[in-house]
Amino acid sequence: MVIAAKDEEARVGRTVAAVRALPGVDLVVVVDDGSTDRTSEVALEAGARVLRHNRNRGKGAAMETGAEGVRLIEEHEEGADGIRPPRHLLFLDADLEASAAGAAPLVEPVVEGKADMAIALFPATRLRLGGHGFVVRLARGGVRRATGWEPEQPLNGQRCITRAAFEAARPLAPGFGVETGLTIDVLRAGLRVIEVEVPLEHRATGTDLRAQLHRAHQFVDVLRALAARRVRPAVRRVLSGGRGRRG
């Protein structure tokens, strides 16, 4: 599995410990995306393999680096017959902490061959991931226009995906556009995508200036991902608070 992390020394250790206990997880790769704290050291101490970007390159690049790291590790492994099938890729955020132990339902439909990619739905009793405003509406509407399928949580980064589906979606969209682009590309490849409710929790995005700047960055990245896929989002409706499912 792959965890992209930036400045998460306070949380990444507990997240790694939790996911290492998941059934079938025998490899945890943390990609330190240009952290200025002890994220790498804490992840190593918790038992992860760590890859590091010297500068922040964004979530999409971190996911690609992690997947490539898994592939290279697999090249040096030998199964009973000398050949090991590629692992499915489980992507989780670094700030899930102990709740990451609840990710098993996300893995099951992919392992069982019922889906090529499973996207997490956070519990209905809690604030849904990715906010509840214009960025979610932009991503949700873009996916719908591109594929005919409307996800409830289009920005959720907790995903399990087959290696074949991941390769079909490369190159990934950069930055925070990665989830939107990944969903569109996998569906356009004729593969199966589902959403699965899982008991995961992470820190909520606040409402201060830093949080608003984060959402603005998300908006731009999602817009670029849609434009690269020739999807014309209804930006005016998104910005004016058009109707849509709650995220």
Side-chain angles (χ1 to χ4, degrees):
M1 70 151 300
V2 176
I3 299 172
K6 183 179 185 298
D7 295 331
E8 290 287 359
E9 66 176 3
R11 302 172 181 85
V12 69
R14 286 187 289 274
T15 302
V16 170
V19 299
R20 289 185 68 202
L22 286 171
V25 173
D26 61 351
L27 174 64
V28 179
V29 174
V30 170
V31 180
D32 183 344
D33 191 28
S35 295
T36 58
D37 63 5
R38 296 185 65 253
T39 292
S40 290
E41 292 86 343
V42 172
L44 280 169
E45 292 166 1
R49 308 274 190 102
V50 175
L51 304 173
R52 180 173 170 81
H53 292 164
N54 291 328
R55 60 178 178 81
N56 180 244
R57 294 171 54 193
K59 190 173 184 180
M63 290 171 64
E64 292 240 29
T65 294
E68 179 63 10
V70 171
R71 187 189 68 79
L72 291 173
I73 290 169
E74 289 173 341
E75 282 189 354
H76 293 86
E77 294 176 336
E78 290 186 357
D81 57 359
I83 300 174
R84 174 175 181 142
R87 290 174 174 86
H88 300 314
L89 297 170
L90 174 62
F91 292 99
L92 296 178
D93 290 343
D95 62 353
L96 296 174
E97 299 185 271
S99 77
L106 192 60
V107 178
E108 291 165 3
V110 178
V111 171
E112 295 169 1
K114 297 177 180 178
D116 299 289
M117 181 167 71
I119 304 171
L121 286 175
F122 278 25
T125 55
R126 299 187 59 81
L127 182 66
R128 294 285 191 182
L129 177 68
H132 49 276
F134 61 94
V135 186
V136 172
R137 289 193 294 273
L138 174 66
R140 182 183 295 137
V143 173
R144 183 183 66 248
R145 279 184 285 277
T147 69
W149 180 69
E150 182 174 295
E152 183 174 346
Q153 289 187 15
L155 302 179
N156 201 316
Q158 327 315 310
R159 298 172 180 232
C160 186
I161 183 171
T162 66
R163 171 64 73 168
F166 183 82
E167 294 298 329
R170 294 185 66 193
L172 301 184
F176 296 113
V178 62
E179 291 91 1
T180 303
L182 185 57
T183 301
I184 291 172
D185 293 341
V186 170
L187 286 168
R188 281 181 168 175
L191 302 174
R192 301 159 297 171
V193 178
I194 64 172
E195 292 182 303
V196 179
E197 188 154 306
V198 287
L200 302 178
E201 303 177 15
H202 72 165
R203 67 181 184 277
T205 303
T207 58
D208 59 10
L209 178 59
R210 182 177 179 180
Q212 295 304 327
L213 290 173
H214 171 75
R215 290 190 178 97
H217 191 178
Q218 275 189 311
F219 183 86
V220 171
D221 284 353
V222 170
L223 197 61
R224 287 173 174 166
L226 294 175
R229 287 153 182 81
R230 302 184 182 278
V231 181
R232 297 187 62 186
V235 177
R236 184 176 301 173
R237 182 185 177 197
V238 168
L239 292 174
S240 65
R243 292 180 61 190
R245 290 192 198 175
R246 293 179 62 189

